[in-house]
Amino acid sequence: IKEINLRNKAQLTLSIAVSNDGETQKEKYMSVQEAMDIVLGRGGDQAVIKTKDKSVFYGGKSKAVEKKTKVKSRLIGHALREIVLESKNIYIMGHKYPDMDAMGSAVGIYDICKACNKQANIVLDNSNDSIDEFVKRLKENEYYSDIFISKDDAIKNCTKDTLVIVVDTHRPSFTECPELTMISDKVVVIDHHRRGVEFINDTVLLFHETYVSSTCEMVTELVQYMEDDVKINKLTAEGLMAGICLDTKNFAFKTGVRTFEAASYLKKKGADTIEVKKLFNSTLIDFVTKAEIIQSAKVIDEKICLAYSKAEVSNINIIVAQAADELLNIKDVEASFVLGKTKSGTIFVSARSLGSINVHVLMEKLGGGGHIDIAGAQIEDTSLEEGYNKVLDIINKKSA
């Protein structure tokens, strides 16, 4: 299959889906079709065996290939505009513990709604260190007055006709407010993560592309291809640029031609790269914590780094992610895994790879996910030592 050379340079993938989930032949057929959709949403080149209780995946080391055509973005842009125009109540939300990709893309959608003369709200109960500076800037700017709404108020005001736009995740349990996806009959999903078994079904519009660098890149393309010229605010452009910078690690990972085109468009709209950089500035305590993590690093099989942080700080999820990025700078290291525990007891695991090791598949074993080269997981009700041993066990099984 891999040796077949097509003139249009399309990359062929070979996938197999097997299922015995269902009572009748028709139910089993529907189940296996659903399993195949999941496989293709994960990049293809893999097999899945689906039973009533779970789906097991094998293979899947191919990266999703960037598509040159922007036809889909244009079609989705037009469709989203129509849905926004016919909606009275609009709520936008990302995933729990939102990062700059989730918050930047949410604010981008907010500007699209505003351009359509529609009031929208971003559902956010608590900010965190990764978005604090950006949220502070939003609250100080009159353009974004009353942009945020609490989960309780959103649930109270949500009806079947409320438009709920989910960005940067496709898993209902991972959203800021899962209840909204159950109340509303009008859910839109915009996401770039490799598809997991859990998925928001019955969407009125689905924009799910795994080859894209970030959700912010997808939203930037939607802004460009809306029917009317959507004028986005300078701060919105900086939020979108920050999301792209975060998920591409400053244009190093998953960066395609279209990523630079989106960044170029945002620069034209006034995004200041110095202001974007300031959104990621860390404190001295964070810097020292990161140094301690790097010092704790253990190298397995001369190519995998495993490290942890004993410091219980509120923004440990950001610190472990940054430390995991840093560890990839070590010569011959192909993947890194870093653990850290928050004050509330949640363990965050950040996994990074240069592409030869599929960290998405490994993080799925801990209930997480992401991409081949950038993934993560959250472990509840576990000590740091137990969490560390779980990750070590997964790495050893992979290496065996």
Side-chain angles (χ1 to χ4, degrees):
I1 287 283
K2 291 293 169 197
E3 287 170 9
I4 295 172
N5 185 15
L6 297 178
R7 286 180 185 173
N8 62 0
K9 295 180 183 174
Q11 186 190 37
L12 295 182
T13 63
L14 181 63
S15 299
I16 304 164
V18 184
S19 173
N20 69 350
D21 181 22
E23 298 298 318
T24 64
Q25 288 294 91
K26 187 181 178 184
E27 282 175 5
K28 287 177 184 176
Y29 175 74
M30 296 296 283
S31 166
V32 85
Q33 284 290 98
E34 192 182 294
M36 182 57 83
D37 286 342
I38 293 172
V39 158
L40 296 178
R42 292 161 61 92
D45 269 339
Q46 53 198 285
V48 58
I49 296 177
K50 190 173 189 295
T51 59
K52 190 176 181 182
D53 301 320
K54 62 178 181 176
S55 297
V56 183
F57 298 92
Y58 299 91
K61 290 181 181 168
S62 296
K63 283 194 177 186
V65 179
E66 183 187 25
K67 293 173 186 168
K68 302 287 189 293
T69 173
K70 297 181 182 178
V71 174
K72 188 168 184 181
S73 295
R74 194 173 282 116
L75 291 172
I76 297 278
H78 288 198
L80 181 62
R81 183 175 179 274
E82 292 304 313
I83 294 166
V84 166
L85 285 172
E86 65 188 35
S87 302
K88 284 182 181 175
N89 207 8
I90 304 169
Y91 293 136
I92 308 157
M93 63 177 172
H95 49 76
K96 287 171 187 163
Y97 307 106
D99 55 12
M100 274 311 302
D101 190 30
M103 192 47 62
S105 51
V107 175
I109 296 292
Y110 173 86
D111 265 29
I112 287 174
C113 296
K114 201 153 185 172
C116 296
N117 294 315
K118 295 286 180 180
Q119 176 59 37
N121 295 103
I122 295 173
V123 182
L124 183 70
D125 251 14
N126 299 303
S127 178
N128 61 67
D129 287 43
S130 61
I131 59 167
D132 271 346
E133 180 60 30
F134 186 56
V135 168
K136 187 178 122 195
R137 290 188 199 179
L138 291 172
K139 286 178 176 175
E140 288 170 355
N141 195 317
E142 279 183 27
Y143 178 86
Y144 304 99
S145 60
D146 302 321
I147 184 172
F148 296 112
I149 188 170
S150 69
K151 282 198 282 193
D152 291 342
D153 287 345
I155 293 167
K156 207 184 296 174
N157 299 322
C158 188
T159 66
K160 282 188 174 184
D161 294 326
T162 299
L163 175 60
V164 176
I165 303 174
V166 177
V167 292
D168 205 33
T169 184
H170 58 258
R171 300 167 73 163
S173 65
F174 271 38
T175 58
E176 182 72 31
C177 184
E179 291 87 349
L180 297 184
T181 61
M182 292 183 268
I183 299 167
S184 172
D185 284 343
K186 287 168 70 177
V187 180
V188 171
V189 173
I190 302 169
D191 185 33
H192 70 119
H193 293 97
R194 279 161 67 97
R195 184 167 170 172
V197 177
E198 189 193 0
F199 202 82
I200 296 172
N201 294 312
D202 304 321
T203 54
V204 290
L205 190 64
L206 174 65
F207 190 18
H208 185 226
E209 299 290 353
T210 53
Y211 66 86
V212 182
S213 73
S214 55
T215 311
C216 280
E217 182 188 323
M218 297 167 79
V219 171
T220 303
E221 286 196 353
L222 293 182
V223 168
Q224 287 174 271
Y225 295 118
M226 298 291 276
E227 239 167 64
D228 299 325
D229 186 29
V230 176
K231 289 181 174 63
I232 60 169
N233 197 357
K234 176 180 180 288
L235 188 51
T236 301
E238 285 168 359
L240 288 165
M241 181 79 90
I244 294 173
C245 289
L246 177 77
D247 274 21
T248 60
K249 307 302 166 200
N250 290 322
F251 301 94
F253 288 91
K254 286 200 79 168
T255 305
V257 175
R258 287 165 67 171
T259 315
F260 288 112
E261 285 175 0
S264 172
Y265 172 80
L266 294 171
K267 188 73 180 151
K268 275 184 209 161
K269 292 295 175 186
D272 184 336
T273 46
I274 297 295
E275 291 302 314
V276 170
K277 186 183 182 302
K278 284 180 185 173
L279 291 171
F280 297 111
N281 284 356
S282 56
T283 64
L284 180 62
I285 295 168
D286 294 351
F287 206 81
V288 171
T289 306
K290 209 189 306 176
E292 286 170 355
I293 292 172
I294 293 165
Q295 200 172 12
S296 78
K298 173 186 176 184
V299 180
I300 302 159
D301 289 341
E302 297 178 358
K303 61 182 179 180
I304 298 171
C305 261
L306 177 59
Y308 63 91
S309 168
K310 284 183 178 174
E312 290 190 6
V313 288
S314 56
N315 64 329
I316 195 69
N317 55 321
I318 308 162
I319 297 169
V320 295
Q322 291 172 346
D325 293 332
E326 289 284 336
L327 289 169
L328 282 187
N329 293 328
I330 299 170
K331 196 177 179 184
D332 297 330
V333 167
E334 292 172 17
S336 62
F337 298 83
V338 182
L339 295 91
K341 193 170 186 176
T342 62
K343 288 176 181 175
S344 61
T346 303
I347 293 175
F348 280 90
V349 187
S350 258
R352 300 289 183 268
S353 161
L354 294 176
S356 58
I357 294 169
N358 188 340
V359 289
H360 168 253
V361 171
L362 299 179
M363 286 298 96
E364 268 193 332
K365 291 175 182 175
L366 294 172
H371 306 278
I372 283 179
D373 42 17
I374 299 173
Q378 294 170 28
I379 311 171
E380 303 285 352
D381 305 320
T382 308
S383 69
L384 187 62
E385 191 180 353
E386 286 170 339
Y388 183 91
N389 289 332
K390 277 183 184 179
V391 176
L392 183 61
D393 191 42
I394 288 166
I395 294 168
N396 288 334
K397 280 180 182 172
K398 186 255 164 228
S399 304

